[in-house]
Amino acid sequence: MLGSGVNTTTLKLYNFDSGDRCLLGIESVPTVPLDGFEASDFTLDCGYSGTPGTANRATFLYGQHIYLRRLRVQNFGGSNAAQMIVVLAASVQSEDCVVEECTIDATVTGIGNATCVLIGFVGNSGNLHRFCVTRNCTCRGPATGTAHGIHPGSALGFIAEGNQLVDLSSGIYDPPYAPGTETASDIIIRHNYFRNAQNGIGYSGRAWPLGRMIVHDNVMDIRNNGTGILLLGNTNPIVYTALIIRKNVIRNVNWDAVPGTITGVNISRVQDLNIQFNTINNTTTGTGIVTANVTNATVNNNINTSGQSV
């Protein structure tokens, strides 16, 4: 599906009732997954401001070799107080699914009562999505309401790189309930910019194992009392097998004016932890790097802009 540009071509959802509607998608699993699909260069208007549904979403897609590029997604939301994924690009039976250079903007209209995950990839422990990417996208949250940016989900090999994640509860997100109760491995988060997020990375209560996560070279401007990198385990003694956190800049969103305070990194239930060469500002004593239940740790060369150790 090829449009003439986001300012020229619009695909709009006209809701005929208040149900759960999706603008572009296939029937819920299990069904035959896609094998090769591309959509680019048009706007998806989910029609929420017209006839609000329990969930007005943009895409429900899964399969192999899915490519979403240069799309603008707007006017989404839900009257139901539940989580909804606005752009779902992969699920079970999915491999090599890419979301690139897309803008998902919640500022055009309100999002209602829903908790919106702007870009989501799901799956389960027996059928992880494989080798998917979100690259160079802009995710912008609403003036009011709860929205999260990118949800890696049950992944085997996932990259989030070059994205701008603005005005969100969490830039990179994993819920403390399903699909957060499923396994994942080899998640890389790099070269992203987080602006005015409550949590840059928010994994607030993961129960099932995450094999490895690498977080490097991101810039995180965090709201007052928020956390740059929040990776907490729940229930099991060890949830995160290996975490590598290097060369990130974490600071309060008002760092250039009158900054408030934040927590830099908050980690628990890790087997092998490496936190090195990060710049963490606007913290108070004991809130720069917080760890609990860590088996092996290398934590050094983390400073603030004054050169003091954090």
Side-chain angles (χ1 to χ4, degrees):
M1 300 180 64
L2 177 64
S4 299
V6 296
N7 297 317
T8 303
T9 305
T10 298
L11 183 64
K12 185 169 183 177
L13 175 65
Y14 286 94
N15 242 14
F16 59 88
D17 62 17
S18 60
D20 184 346
R21 303 285 175 236
C22 183
L23 185 54
L24 181 64
I26 57 180
E27 293 183 7
S28 297
V29 291
T31 187
V32 178
L34 295 168
D35 188 356
F37 177 83
E38 180 175 346
S40 67
D41 297 286
F42 58 91
T43 291
L44 289 87
D45 186 328
C46 300
Y48 183 69
S49 62
T51 304
T54 56
N56 289 46
R57 299 172 289 139
T59 69
F60 186 95
L61 302 169
Y62 68 98
Q64 300 181 63
H65 315 304
I66 295 173
Y67 190 29
L68 305 180
R69 187 182 187 196
R70 292 194 300 266
L71 301 175
R72 179 179 178 85
V73 179
Q74 63 189 36
N75 198 8
F76 50 83
S79 59
N80 192 19
Q83 178 179 290
M84 57 171 276
I85 296 176
V86 179
V87 175
L88 190 145
S91 182
V92 299
Q93 306 177 68
S94 293
E95 183 174 325
D96 186 28
C97 301
V98 177
V99 184
E100 185 174 39
E101 298 176 0
C102 294
T103 297
I104 299 88
D105 190 352
T107 66
V108 176
T109 57
I111 62 172
N113 298 319
T115 295
C116 289
V117 177
L118 302 190
I119 301 175
F121 300 77
V122 298
N124 58 54
S125 59
N127 201 330
L128 309 178
H129 67 80
R130 301 163 63 91
F131 317 131
C132 297
V133 179
T134 298
R135 178 186 297 119
N136 298 336
C137 292
T138 297
C139 294
R140 186 179 296 276
T144 60
T146 301
H148 305 283
I150 299 168
H151 170 40
S154 298
L156 175 58
F158 177 85
I159 298 175
E161 62 183 0
N163 302 288
Q164 296 187 47
L165 305 160
V166 182
D167 297 337
L168 297 162
S169 296
S170 293
I172 307 291
Y173 170 70
D174 188 63
Y177 47 86
T181 52
E182 301 289 2
T183 58
S185 182
D186 297 314
I187 294 174
I188 299 174
I189 301 168
R190 64 190 181 194
H191 304 297
N192 302 284
Y193 176 52
F194 301 75
R195 170 74 181 176
N196 194 36
Q198 184 65 29
N199 301 308
I201 301 172
Y203 279 48
S204 61
R206 190 169 182 86
W208 282 40
L210 193 158
R212 177 168 50 220
M213 177 183 282
I214 301 172
V215 182
H216 72 90
D217 293 284
N218 301 280
V219 176
M220 301 183 181
D221 289 343
I222 303 300
R223 295 175 191 166
N224 292 350
N225 304 312
T227 302
I229 300 173
L230 181 70
L231 296 168
L232 302 181
N234 183 29
T235 307
N236 295 325
I238 295 296
V239 173
Y240 303 97
T241 303
L243 294 178
I244 300 171
I245 300 170
R246 294 166 60 92
K247 297 184 179 179
N248 301 283
V249 175
I250 304 171
R251 60 197 180 187
N252 183 261
V253 66
N254 298 311
W255 62 271
D256 57 347
V258 182
T261 59
I262 64 168
T263 298
V265 179
N266 189 356
I267 303 287
S268 71
R269 300 181 186 272
V270 185
Q271 179 173 317
D272 295 311
L273 176 64
N274 183 298
I275 305 177
Q276 292 181 299
F277 307 110
N278 300 283
T279 301
I280 303 173
N281 288 329
N282 313 125
T283 61
T284 58
T285 302
T287 65
I289 298 174
V290 182
T291 64
N293 302 109
V294 176
T295 305
N296 305 303
T298 300
V299 180
N300 56 46
N301 294 300
N302 302 288
I303 61 172
N304 60 26
T305 51
S306 300
Q308 299 170 323
S309 295
V310 175

